[in-house]
Amino acid sequence: MTQCHHVHLVGSVGLDTAEDVFSRVGRALGRRLDRVPDGEPGPRRLWVSFQYPFLRASPFLRPDPSGATRKTSGLPLLCLGKEVKRGEVRFGELGYAREARASYQDFLAARERGDIQPRARFQVCLPTPMSVIYAFCTARDITEIEPAYEAAMLREVETICRHIPHRDLCLQWDVCHDMIVWDGQPQDQFPLINASKAEIAARFARICASIPSDVELGFHLCYGDFGGKHFFDPVTARHLVEIANCIAATVGHEIAYIHVPVPLPRANDEYFAPMRDFKLAPGTRLYLGLIHAADGADGARRRIELASKYVPEFGIATECGFARARKPDLVERILGIHAEVAAEPPQAT
């Protein structure tokens, strides 16, 4: 039986406060965790929906007069405001840095209490700019809006890195709409756009270029989680492997880890076989999102054994965050599955 020792929490956890998250996950998973997120409570609980009010409040944007809405949430899509000139769009604070600075204080308190192991880092999860703008803006105006939003997000990164000690910090890019476009899946739930793989790769390089070398960097690859379910379940991991290899080849910063989802129905060789083609640096850990509450520890172990035929070493995770777990006892059960499947790593000597 393949033994896994490392656990990754994708980001959202489904508890009400960062303090609750740090104390519960730290006690449940101990040294299995190399980094700990704040669980994305409050306004971040529905991932990029946190950004919609910021975009809607912008004087440069307005609801599309056509009445177009996002099919998943029904939110009006946003377009350029009347008489907004090319190159004029800009955004101020997006809220991520302020949230991170507050949660870091809870992280320090939890570490002082002994709830979090001393070497664990504070994990800050950020959506790629493409994932936000492609979710909420009309296709015809994306090329004007996205660069301004990307610049604002990079200012958030700079602020986070300036206020949180680098030795304690991990930045994670959540790659969702980029992943769906890369896969070539139908985009009836999003603006129909034409972004080449080369253009997506260039975005990865840009958003990572200014991250200090001593800040840990990771990537979460995702097919969405609206309503607790992927927008699309990939049939094989082929496109996930492709984009992971692209990130590894394109991003100049050392990559600490890449997280890859494993959908519940995909416990088969067809899904896992492409994973033999990962071309990650020796220091990059792979986390497979193969834990599902529906079939618990037994299902996770079956997927671990299948994956082990193609990937010699990996950590475990859920396929996405679990903020949509409405009851704390479900969160506890999911954390318990992680703890049951992954043994704590040997104590360092």
Side-chain angles (χ1 to χ4, degrees), residues 82-134:
K82 291 181 179 179
E83 301 179 359
V84 173
K85 298 179 177 61
R86 181 175 295 275
E88 188 179 9
V89 180
R90 68 181 187 277
F91 297 101
E93 288 189 3
L94 303 178
Y96 287 105
R98 288 191 176 274
E99 292 276 323
R101 291 169 67 184
S103 291
Y104 179 60
Q105 301 308 309
D106 292 321
F107 173 88
L108 291 176
R111 190 166 65 183
E112 182 67 24
R113 290 193 305 268
D115 291 339
I116 295 172
Q117 61 156 326
R119 67 176 183 83
R121 291 187 181 233
F122 173 54
Q123 176 183 324
V124 178
C125 305
L126 302 169
T128 61
M130 183 177 179
S131 289
V132 177
I133 299 307
Y134 281 54

Side-chain angles (χ1 to χ4, degrees), residues 156-300:
E156 296 287 305
V157 169
E158 188 277 330
T159 302
I160 292 167
C161 293
R162 180 157 37 89
H163 288 282
I164 297 175
H166 295 181
R167 67 180 180 276
D168 281 349
L169 180 60
C170 169
L171 290 177
Q172 173 180 291
W173 289 114
D174 296 339
V175 180
C176 180
H177 295 87
D178 335 47
M179 184 71 246
I180 291 168
V181 173
W182 183 287
D183 192 299
Q185 293 284 356
Q187 297 174 53
D188 59 330
Q189 300 181 62
F190 314 105
L192 181 61
I193 52 89
N194 294 306
S196 70
K197 291 181 178 181
E199 290 168 334
I200 293 172
R203 286 173 169 88
F204 292 140
R206 287 199 307 269
I207 64 177
C208 296
S210 62
I211 298 174
S213 61
D214 53 348
V215 171
E216 192 177 69
L217 175 63
F219 288 83
H220 155 51
L221 306 182
C222 183
Y223 280 82
D225 192 48
F226 194 86
K229 187 180 186 305
H230 281 159
F231 294 125
F232 313 99
D233 272 339
V235 175
T236 84
R238 179 170 65 87
H239 291 292
L240 289 157
V241 171
E242 283 181 1
I243 202 169
N245 290 345
C246 169
I247 290 169
T250 304
V251 171
H253 195 292
E254 180 180 345
I255 299 169
Y257 64 89
I258 292 180
H259 167 271
V260 173
V262 179
L264 183 66
R266 302 298 186 240
N268 54 49
D269 287 287
E270 181 183 9
Y271 186 82
F272 287 106
M275 293 187 184
R276 60 162 67 96
D277 297 325
F278 274 120
K279 295 179 176 62
L280 307 180
T284 301
R285 175 168 283 127
L286 180 67
Y287 289 96
L288 299 184
L290 46 73
I291 288 181
H292 296 271
D295 61 6
D298 289 341

